[in-house]
């Protein structure tokens, strides 16, 4: 099991930037996926970006070219740099980890049931 703690959310105007940080502890091994998901009121939780243990990254179409996911293995920290934010990016953003390898092996990178460990979330609000 891994403990995840997000920070960095806030309120910005359209076109602004934020960087989310997820401090992780207790994870090791290979074939894992770590990612950022978000959930807006009345909507299902959706995948935003994931990074695999081998460094590959994947992004939802809605954020490609605007968001960048990265990790600092030495610090056990996951980041999400969000630029050119839009009002539709407003949501609670969660950091999540799948250490079982299922998301990695089955290439189901945004399949939330595979992610057993979640942070408490950090709110991102973008005003027009």
């Amino acid at each position: 099991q891994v403990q995840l703690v997000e920070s960095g959310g806030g309120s910005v105007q359209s076109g602004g930037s934020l960087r989310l940080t997820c401090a992780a502890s207790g994870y090791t091994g290979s074939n894992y996926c770590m990612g950022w998901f978000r959930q807006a009121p009345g909507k299902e939780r959706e995948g935003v970006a994931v990074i695999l243990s081998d460094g590959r990254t994947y992004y939802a179409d809605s954020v490609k070219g605007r968001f960048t996911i990265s990790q600092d293995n030495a610090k056990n920290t996951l980041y999400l740099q969000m630029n050119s934010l839009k009002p539709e990016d407003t949501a609670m953003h969660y950091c999540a980890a799948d250490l079982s390898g299922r998301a990695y092996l089955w290439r189901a990178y945004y399949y939330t049931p595979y992610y057993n460990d979640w942070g408490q979330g950090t709110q991102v609000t973008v005003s027009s």
Side-chain angles (χ1 to χ4, degrees):
Q1 189 174 4
V2 60
Q3 291 74 47
L4 304 170
V5 180
E6 304 101 330
S7 61
S11 297
V12 296
Q13 291 190 331
S14 182
S17 298
L18 287 172
R19 187 175 83 156
L20 305 184
T21 299
C22 175
S25 62
Y27 77 93
T28 59
S30 59
N31 295 347
Y32 65 78
C33 291
M34 294 196 70
W36 290 96
F37 294 76
R38 66 187 181 188
Q39 188 167 19
K43 295 187 177 181
E44 292 187 355
R45 190 168 297 189
E46 63 176 0
V48 175
V50 297
I51 187 165
L52 279 55
S53 51
D54 58 16
R56 285 179 288 163
T57 58
Y58 296 90
Y59 296 92
D61 288 342
S62 59
V63 307
K64 280 181 182 177
R66 300 189 297 124
F67 291 10
T68 302
I69 188 171
S70 61
Q71 61 182 0
D72 184 332
N73 290 329
K75 297 181 179 180
N76 284 348
T77 302
L78 185 71
Y79 302 98
L80 184 68
Q81 178 66 44
M82 304 185 296
N83 297 329
S84 302
L85 283 161
K86 304 176 181 180
E88 50 264 44
D89 294 317
T90 295
M92 185 70 77
H93 285 64
Y94 298 90
C95 173
D98 169 34
L99 306 182
S100 71
R102 292 175 296 176
Y104 184 100
L105 293 173
W106 291 106
R107 301 181 183 179
Y109 307 129
Y110 298 130
Y111 188 57
T112 55
Y114 283 164
Y115 288 80
N116 292 324
D117 298 295
W118 294 82
Q120 82 287 354
T122 185
Q123 178 67 36
V124 172
T125 302
V126 185
S127 58
S128 57

